[in-house]
Amino acid sequence: MGIETFAYAAFFLTMALTYAVICLGLNLQWGQTGLFNVGIAAFVAVGAYASAILTTPPTPDRVGGFDLPILVGWAGALVASGLLALFIGWLTIRLRADYLAITTFGVAVLVQLAMLNLEGLTGGPFGIGFVPKPFESLQGDAIAFSFANLGVVILAVLAVYLFLERLVRSPWGRVLRAVREDEVAAQALGKNPMRLRIQAFAIGGAIMGLGGAVQAHFIGFIAPENYLPMLTFQVWAMLIVGGSGNNRGAILGAVLVWGVWAASAAVIEQLFPSGSQARAASLQIVLIGVALCVILMWRPQGILREIKTVSRHALGTVRNAGSR
Amino acid sequence: MTLQILMNGLVAGSMIGLGAIGVTLTYSILRFPNFAHGELIAWGAYLALTVSALIGGAVGASMDPIGPFSFGWGLIIAFVLAMGLTGALALALDWLLFKRLRNQGAVMIIIVMASFGASMALRSALEFIYTAQPAYFTRELQIAMPLGGGVRATPDQLFAIGLTAALVFGIHLLLTRTPQGRAMRAVSENPSLASLVGVDVDQVIRLVWIMGAALACAAGVISGILVQIRPYMGFDLLLPLFAATILGGIGSVPGAIIGGLIVGIGEALAVQLVGAEWRAGAAFVILTAILIVRPTGIFGRA
């Protein structure tokens, strides 16, 4: 149990929690609203690139490099991904759920193309390096640096979590679930399901973008290959395992699945000679794919079930029963 | 120049259309967009490659090219066998995964998620077995022949168009002239009513998987002859497949083919107008445009 173990634990948790932010965004879209987004990677990527372009030092070979503070970058990520989600939502949410799935899948393909080909903005296949890290001055001290980073990511997760919990318990959150459960009834009460869905989709997309930005500033480097459909798949696995509809489930799922991911990578690294690591990595994806299918069949509600949330004005018995 | 774009689009559209028939059939009968359908295309191509290597090892002469084409009888035989094997793979996938979810009464989105997981697993399995290195049925180089009007095409490309036409005609006959075809259309219309009047829904579902997978295999083999074989070849076709399916109207086989041809031509146009690197964007633009203008597609009903 040396210093390395501590540093690694901090590194692992930081990485897992960046996924937790993205997963919380998906939980608002899918868990609370029932919107099926298969293009998570696109919203994460847009957030990461927006923040990187805003905060990196000026570069001659591409637009931007505005050298702005990291917090401005994160705000930019929220806005950029939120606007993209707003646009996609406005375009397709009146359609059936499966159409939204296919369209968001298309958005991910399109964003991938844009990252690769808009070299003047994104740096093309080489991506953007030297994305500033928070507490860069501490870099000399590994422990202090990794725990400072972890602290920042914990704060980000906490902020998003508290915001979403408030939102879920607000009248807006209740109408959202009412629409999800029974659209016709909600409509009869004078609610506009389309508008609510678009709002939820945009807020969820913005949070995914924030997650992408936090991750980019932690890794320090972004490139198109970080945002393949694999990422979408990982985040979905996290939410399904943790329990969709439950914000704590989203965080738990992110840490657990990232743990399984990292552990299986280590096991496969042990089992395969270094020459066939690429093959081993594909075997790892096979295993995770199979695992996701098994979980879907065996426990579709995830580890933490959705918590029934009712108005604080409603019956006290529900609160006393521990459902909060 | 424009006619050549049409020709290129026709060739690409044949592959998309063949794949889209499987997507449209599973979509209308099992009622979910199958994200793993692209993997049936890639698996079909690799299965044909493996069988043809086995045949080639057994009978050397089967690899000699037939006439103007770049491939021999070995590949034709391997192709037919691979169609059956791909069908068996699809049936196994249904039995292991989709059938269980159906019996549990899982909501559509959970089944879509499962197909997404299956797609990841199937594609990575190909990468594990065959590596990410592209493979080829033949390394024979073909010279495009002038067809008049400034249009050029290789014999293989003409073979692809001819094979697609023959397969589509066969499927059309099967759906319109046989009791199995009528049963399929009945289930797509209303599954509970169809089972009430004595249609064996399970048999229809098996038939859908076999047909969809066999056509996916054909798309994979054509793509393998004309381009190359890669684990990602089917996944990269997924967006065009969905675009073609929705454009044609879900459940419509002629729609899937026409949708495929339109998407293929759209891609060829995009290559001319904005450059080959944006090719995949064409499918997205076509898809979004249909969803806004006519979500039920050309032959779809509301």
Side-chain angles (χ1 to χ4, degrees), chain A residues 30 98-99 117 279 282 285 297, chain B residues 27 104 109 124 128-129 295:
Chain A
W30 168 246
D98 40 349
Y99 286 162
N117 296 321
R279 290 186 98 161
S282 32
I285 300 172
M297 284 192 278
Chain B
Y27 212 144
Q104 282 175 15
I109 294 301
S124 301
F128 177 69
I129 302 168

Side-chain angles (χ1 to χ4, degrees), chain B residues 232-244:
Chain B
Y232 268 83
M233 62 193 282
F235 190 75
D236 291 342
L237 273 178
L238 199 55
L239 187 59
L241 293 187
F242 283 143

Side-chain angles (χ1 to χ4, degrees), chain A residues 30 60 108 112 172 189 238:
Chain A
W30 168 246
Q112 189 78 29
W172 186 82
L189 293 171
M238 287 165 178

Side-chain angles (χ1 to χ4, degrees), chain A residues 58-114:
Chain A
T59 337
D61 42 351
R62 63 175 169 80
V63 181
F66 294 104
D67 218 358
L68 292 166
I70 292 178
L71 280 177
V72 177
W74 289 5
L78 275 167
V79 173
S81 299
L83 284 178
L84 175 69
L86 191 67
F87 178 66
I88 303 300
W90 169 76
L91 214 59
T92 56
I93 270 178
R94 65 203 159 80
L95 301 168
R96 287 182 354 216
D98 40 349
Y99 286 162
L100 180 68
I102 294 169
T103 316
T104 50
F105 177 74
V107 172
V109 172
L110 203 68
V111 167
Q112 189 78 29
L113 284 182

Side-chain angles (χ1 to χ4, degrees), chain A residues 157-236:
Chain A
V157 173
L158 202 66
V160 173
Y161 172 79
L162 291 176
F163 167 72
L164 286 175
E165 283 292 300
R166 267 198 87 95
L167 211 57
V168 165
R169 276 158 230 282
S170 71
W172 186 82
R174 286 198 301 277
V175 180
L176 211 57
R177 278 188 310 285
V179 168
R180 183 191 67 184
E181 297 302 331
D182 191 340
E183 184 170 339
V184 179
Q187 234 165 347
L189 293 171
K191 309 296 175 192
N192 182 345
M194 292 311 141
R195 244 177 70 194
L196 280 161
R197 286 209 183 102
I198 294 174
Q199 287 163 355
F201 195 69
I203 298 173
I207 293 172
M208 289 174 183
L210 175 69
V214 171
Q215 202 171 56
H217 287 277
F218 169 61
I219 303 172
F221 167 74
I222 54 173
E225 71 212 53
N226 298 357
Y227 308 101
L228 296 174
M230 188 71 239
L231 173 65
T232 298
F233 177 70
Q234 277 173 321
V235 177
W236 266 105

Side-chain angles (χ1 to χ4, degrees), chain A residues 30 36 38 88 91-92 94-99 101-103 105-107 109-110 113-114 117-118 228-230 232-233 236-237 240 272 278-280 282-283 285-286 289-290 292-294 296-298 300, chain B residues 27 33 35 96-97 100-101 104 107-110 112-114 116-118 120-121 123-125 127-131 232 235 238-239 242-243 246 250 277-281 284 287-288 291-293 295-296:
Chain A
W30 168 246
F36 192 54
V38 199
I88 303 300
L91 214 59
T92 56
R94 65 203 159 80
L95 301 168
R96 287 182 354 216
D98 40 349
Y99 286 162
I102 294 169
T103 316
F105 177 74
V107 172
V109 172
L110 203 68
L113 284 182
N117 296 321
L118 295 178
L228 296 174
M230 188 71 239
T232 298
F233 177 70
W236 266 105
I240 299 285
F272 285 79
R279 290 186 98 161
S282 32
L283 186 62
I285 300 172
V286 175
V290 172
L292 177 76
C293 292
V294 170
L296 284 171
M297 284 192 278
W298 168 62
Chain B
Y27 212 144
F35 275 77
L96 275 170
L97 185 62
R100 283 160 207 255
L101 287 167
Q104 282 175 15
V107 289
M108 182 248 269
I109 294 301
I110 293 289
V112 179
M113 266 301 295
F116 201 56
M120 278 284 166
R123 181 171 64 256
S124 301
E127 215 173 325
F128 177 69
I129 302 168
Y130 297 95
T131 77
Y232 268 83
F235 190 75
L238 199 55
L239 187 59
F242 283 143
I246 293 173
I250 291 163
E277 67 273 24
W278 292 99
R279 169 191 274 264
F284 177 75
L287 175 76
T288 331
L291 286 178
I292 294 168
V293 179
T296 51

